[in-house]
Amino acid sequence: MKKNAGNVPEHPMENLLRMDRIPHIWCSTCGIGTAVSCFIQALQNFDYPLDKIAVVSGIGCSGRIAGYIKLDSFHTTHGRAIPFATGLKLANPELKVIVFSGDGDLVSIGGNHLIHAARRNMDITVFCVNNFIYAMTGGQCAPTTPTDANSSTSPYGNFDHPFNIPLLVGSCGATYVARWTALHIRRLTRSMQEALEKPGFSFVEIIAPCSTLYARRNRLGTGLDLMKFYHDNSVIQHGAPLESLDIQFQKKIIVGKFIDKKRPTFLEAWDQYLGKKLGDKFISAEKGIRAA
Amino acid sequence: MKADPKGVLTGEHYLDGDHACTEGALAAGCRFFAGYPITPSTEVAERFSARIPHVGGIFIQMEDELGSMAAVVGASWGGKKSMTVTSGPGFSLMMENIGLAAMMETPCVIVNVQRGGPSTGLPTMVGQSDMMQARWGSHGDYEIIAISPASPQEAFDYSIKCFNLAEKYRVPVMFMMDECVGHMTEKVVIPNPDQIDVEPRRLTKKSPKDYLPYEPNEDLVPDMIVAGDGYRIHSTGLTHDERGYPAMKPEVQEKLVHRLVDKISKNADKIIELEEDQTDDADVIVMAYGITSRVTMPAIFKARKKGIKVGFIKMITVWPFPEKRVRELAKKVKAFVMPEINLGQVALELERVVSGKAGVHHIPHAGGWVHDPEDIYKVIVEAAK
Ligand code: SF4
């Protein structure tokens, strides 16, 4: 077995983790850790030079993911991971750019960027950890909090309606849309790999337990109890109509792959369209000089 | 390094300041633009969108200014010189990621063609009232560089300067134009590419093993990398150590924030550019920037004709403020006069630096039009008494 510097057997994911930053900040039984393991496994299966992969996060518990991945990684501002990733990808098209962040970051404060990146078919992969709550700030209501769920800013229960995220990104034009829970590690890993391999705007929603805040506040037991809940209540339904994917408090969760299609990415459209219009005079983005 | 010929439209042109600014950016090597339309700056974006497919690069019209600025920071890390353009209301939205650019030490240029504010204000009419916002509009302590052009030719020339300084100091540079300069049309001479100096990115020469992304050089600026070059760095908007790792410690904060400020203030002599005229034996010195520096000229000529010893300082760089030079002059002159199209933003700094050693006469203007030179003349006469 391969040993690391301390003569301890090397963890099979060590090459992709910033081991000098471990222990991480996440609570035990938090679902983010599972999402990260699946991601690393997917990266190891993904046939792409690791030096050419970059991870971008926003703010929140899931926003800390980029900081633990041993690739070029950027921890940006709240909600702006997608536009940051957009700039990164367009400036350096040979990069595979992954946005890994949470529901509040991507769907609330970053919602406008999310729908426009999907519309443009920006060539990035987005992994969205949905734990139904703003966890980093102490468990406030999010636009993903199910109706009736309790949070620190909906102390009498949430009267509001949550987003159906696959419907949102699917209707805006995403080329790959899937949803899994933190329980479905094999399927999630496979789905993440598919999303990475997919040209264009690919999106995977990962329903994950926030054991410390969401579970405790709603008396749902421990992280393990939530995994049991996912086990008993998730229904795999590939290709399910996006409208049927609403999430209700402690009701069944439809998971699976809902969209897998092809359409030109932003850069393909740029090259094809302008190439046609300008003929010989067109110089593609890739040929533009670097800063040095 | 000399300019990439593909971006340089050598020759004599008749351009407005907005168009000239775009040509300067292209000549400087800018190959990525993300922005959102806003009067009176939109022409910069329009020209970039028309020109860039002929040069090689990207123009993207983003969904808003928050996203525009974030994309500019991302593109810079992707290895392209990058810019955005806006005016007051959009400038406010960009502040979030201007702070990120300052914290991540990301070279980029933000053009603000200023109009009257606050809020929606005077969309089509001139203002210079975002000068303090340019300096401190994002939260926290940091320093940026701000430059103001006074003509379309300067919009071209100093646009290049903005990109060069952004690379040299790894800092967001604000190109503080104004509606008048943006929309006035004059002759602009664009030189040959081999006559244009451009600053390359300061890429590290170290191996990934030895490289620390936030380890400063002697000039307090760290060397950079481009994402995808194999360094596998981490960069964050959180307070971070030299490895780029978050470090929630007062000592780390102290060191980092001081360096972000010092890398500009301690290099101020190298950054600041002023045009001085007859300041050596002046009794009164007028200081101005942007369009106001031109409006001031008739007042100065008239005062000189009347025998008043008036010196003039045209500020090309507004931030960092020319503290050292103003302190020297304050010992010799009776008073400074500063007209600006706001209610006293840069004048406040002038007053602080002069700190009672000479008079400071501010000439406020709320915006919508330039000063009447006669009003400036009257204040010069007053100041000379
Ligand atoms: S607060 Fe919730 S989401 Fe954040 S690390 Fe803890 S369990 Fe995970």
Side-chain angles (χ1 to χ4, degrees):
Chain A
M1 186 178 268
K2 217 171 147 191
K3 304 266 180 90
N4 65 17
N7 207 28
V8 180
E10 196 174 90
H11 188 278
M13 292 179 178
E14 257 183 46
N15 67 323
L16 280 163
L17 287 173
R18 295 189 190 276
M19 295 306 287
D20 48 353
R21 291 208 59 210
I22 303 292
H24 56 67
I25 62 156
W26 299 307
C27 310
S28 61
T29 78
C30 171
I32 295 172
T34 314
V36 171
S37 317
C38 293
F39 173 53
I40 296 211
Q41 188 61 57
L43 276 177
Q44 286 172 338
N45 300 345
F46 179 40
D47 185 19
Y48 205 87
L50 291 171
D51 281 344
K52 300 288 176 198
I53 304 177
V55 185
V56 184
S57 290
I59 298 294
C61 287
S62 307
R64 292 302 189 95
I65 291 172
Y68 295 110
I69 310 290
K70 203 168 164 187
L71 296 172
D72 280 325
S73 57
F74 301 93
H75 179 219
T76 65
T77 40
H78 198 16
R80 317 297 166 223
I82 287 180
F84 185 102
T86 296
L88 193 60
K89 172 70 189 176
L90 295 179
N92 195 352
E94 62 171 12
L95 288 179
K96 177 76 213 174
V97 180
I98 298 148
V99 169
F100 213 143
S101 217
D103 49 313
D105 187 73
L106 290 166
V107 183
S108 184
I109 190 167
N112 199 21
H113 313 306
L114 178 73
I115 60 176
H116 283 274
R119 170 183 67 77
R120 296 183 181 112
N121 202 21
M122 192 51 65
D123 200 0
I124 57 176
T125 297
V126 179
F127 297 136
C128 173
V129 177
N130 183 359
N131 52 22
F132 306 140
I133 207 151
Y134 284 99
M136 182 65 96
T137 44
Q140 294 78 27
C141 196
T144 43
T145 305
T147 309
D148 284 336
N150 194 292
S151 76
S152 71
T153 50
S154 58
Y156 311 111
N158 179 25
F159 60 84
D160 209 353
H161 307 286
F163 263 124
N164 169 342
I165 310 176
L167 172 63
L168 180 68
V169 293
S171 57
C172 292
T175 52
Y176 183 98
V177 181
R179 173 198 278 163
W180 298 102
T181 76
L183 178 81
H184 299 89
I185 46 174
R186 247 178 339 104
R187 290 183 167 92
L188 173 59
T189 304
R190 175 89 204 105
S191 192
M192 284 176 145
Q193 190 188 334
E194 275 181 18
L196 290 171
E197 286 162 355
K198 186 85 198 169
F201 188 84
S202 52
F203 187 93
V204 181
E205 179 184 11
I206 304 142
I207 309 285
C210 166
S211 35
T212 302
L213 296 161
Y214 184 77
R216 192 146 66 182
R217 210 166 168 109
N218 286 287
R219 303 184 196 288
L220 304 177
T222 61
L224 188 61
D225 291 319
L226 268 177
M227 295 301 239
K228 278 193 196 123
F229 173 81
Y230 297 157
H231 178 266
D232 298 340
N233 292 279
S234 21
V235 183
I236 300 177
Q237 208 181 318
H238 295 299
L242 298 176
E243 293 77 7
S244 69
L245 300 174
D246 283 352
I247 290 178
Q248 285 161 0
F249 185 57
Q250 292 303 93
K251 297 272 163 54
K252 72 169 184 182
I253 301 171
I254 299 174
V255 295
K257 176 166 80 177
F258 312 119
I259 290 179
D260 190 349
K261 66 178 186 191
K262 208 174 145 30
R263 70 184 180 102
T265 67
F266 180 90
L267 272 173
E268 284 166 356
W270 172 277
D271 278 345
Q272 283 160 18
Y273 194 91
L274 293 171
K276 210 152 108 198
K277 290 272 172 183
L278 301 177
D280 299 346
K281 292 199 192 110
F282 176 64
I283 302 181
S284 77
E286 260 141 298
K287 297 222 177 80
I289 52 151
R290 281 193 6 164
Chain B
M1 197 167 115
K2 296 295 172 187
D4 168 28
K6 283 204 289 295
V8 185
L9 216 57
T10 304
E12 285 186 7
H13 306 267
Y14 194 53
L15 295 176
D16 74 14
D18 282 356
H19 286 256
C21 166
T22 304
E23 288 307 327
L26 290 169
C30 177
R31 296 294 179 266
F32 181 91
F33 183 110
Y36 188 84
I38 185 165
T39 306
S41 74
T42 313
E43 294 88 336
V44 181
E46 287 170 344
R47 190 175 181 100
F48 204 96
S49 73
R51 289 270 286 125
I52 198 68
H54 300 271
V55 175
I58 284 287
F59 168 87
I60 183 167
Q61 190 168 309
M62 293 297 286
E63 48 276 8
D64 54 32
E65 287 91 345
L66 301 158
S68 302
M69 194 57 221
V72 164
V73 181
S76 189
W77 281 97
K80 293 269 160 59
K81 290 190 182 175
S82 62
M83 75 179 295
T84 188
V85 61
T86 192
S87 190
F91 201 48
S92 293
L93 292 180
M94 285 178 183
M95 284 305 149
E96 175 193 55
N97 292 295
I98 286 172
L100 182 70
M103 192 62 148
M104 285 185 163
E105 301 185 62
T106 311
C108 55
V109 173
I110 300 100
V111 181
N112 179 350
V113 187
Q114 294 173 88
R115 64 195 221 184
S119 191
T120 315
L122 300 168
T124 60
M125 299 163 96
V126 68
Q128 291 184 312
S129 49
D130 305 344
M131 297 309 296
M132 266 301 170
Q133 190 183 17
R135 187 178 192 189
W136 279 329
S138 200
H139 52 279
D141 284 311
Y142 61 96
E143 288 286 339
I144 49 82
I145 296 170
I147 293 183
S148 268
S151 67
Q153 182 66 54
E154 289 187 2
F156 174 83
D157 294 340
Y158 298 142
S159 171
I160 300 173
K161 187 180 172 77
C162 286
F163 280 92
N164 287 348
L165 289 171
E167 294 297 334
K168 193 151 192 203
Y169 297 101
R170 285 189 60 179
V171 71
V173 176
M174 315 286 156
F175 199 30
M176 301 303 285
M177 312 227 314
D178 52 66
E179 186 275 337
C180 283
V181 170
H183 285 165
M184 73 165 57
T185 302
E186 289 180 342
K187 184 166 127 178
V188 175
V189 181
I190 301 184
N192 286 322
D194 59 8
Q195 292 167 303
I196 300 174
D197 286 317
V198 302
E199 188 77 28
R201 182 139 306 173
R202 34 193 312 167
L203 293 180
T204 183
K205 292 188 180 67
K206 290 189 174 163
S207 71
K209 200 165 53 50
D210 300 324
Y211 174 68
L212 290 175
Y214 289 97
E215 180 186 31
N217 291 296
E218 233 166 78
D219 64 356
L220 302 176
V221 186
D223 288 337
M224 209 172 162
I225 56 100
V226 167
D229 281 0
Y231 285 83
R232 302 203 195 176
I233 59 118
H234 184 60
S235 186
T236 173
L238 285 168
T239 295
H240 47 268
D241 58 23
E242 293 188 348
R243 294 173 300 174
Y245 289 178
M248 303 299 101
K249 291 179 195 142
E251 319 81 86
V252 180
Q253 167 79 356
E254 179 81 9
K255 206 169 144 194
L256 174 63
V257 177
H258 273 287
R259 186 174 63 72
L260 292 179
V261 169
D262 288 350
K263 74 174 178 178
I264 302 303
S265 58
K266 295 213 163 128
N267 289 309
D269 287 347
K270 285 180 239 157
I271 297 168
I272 290 168
E273 186 174 339
L274 306 171
E275 277 177 28
E276 293 195 25
D277 177 41
Q278 302 183 27
T279 46
D280 282 346
D281 62 342
D283 286 331
V284 175
I285 289 178
V286 184
M287 291 180 79
Y289 55 90
I291 189 60
T292 310
S293 68
R294 291 178 74 166
V295 173
T296 300
M297 297 319 293
I300 289 179
F301 295 147
K302 187 170 170 187
R304 282 179 186 163
K305 254 193 208 147
K306 303 269 174 190
I308 302 174
K309 285 186 178 169
V310 197
F312 179 51
I313 297 180
K314 176 168 146 189
M315 303 168 76
I316 311 298
T317 35
V318 177
W319 309 124
F321 188 77
E323 268 191 62
K324 212 165 99 189
R325 184 63 184 140
V326 167
R327 281 217 174 93
E328 278 165 20
L329 291 167
K331 289 184 211 140
K332 304 196 280 188
V333 301
K334 273 193 196 147
F336 291 87
V337 173
M338 182 175 277
E340 49 181 342
I341 310 175
N342 59 52
L343 300 193
Q345 297 188 6
V346 182
L348 199 67
E349 184 69 352
L350 176 64
E351 225 169 74
R352 181 186 74 79
V353 171
V354 170
S355 89
K357 304 265 179 340
V360 173
H361 298 255
H362 179 245
I363 313 175
H365 192 313
W369 195 226
V370 294
H371 291 77
D372 181 343
E374 195 54 29
D375 292 340
I376 300 175
Y377 168 73
K378 281 183 202 147
V379 177
I380 294 173
V381 172
E382 193 60 33
K385 277 183 191 160

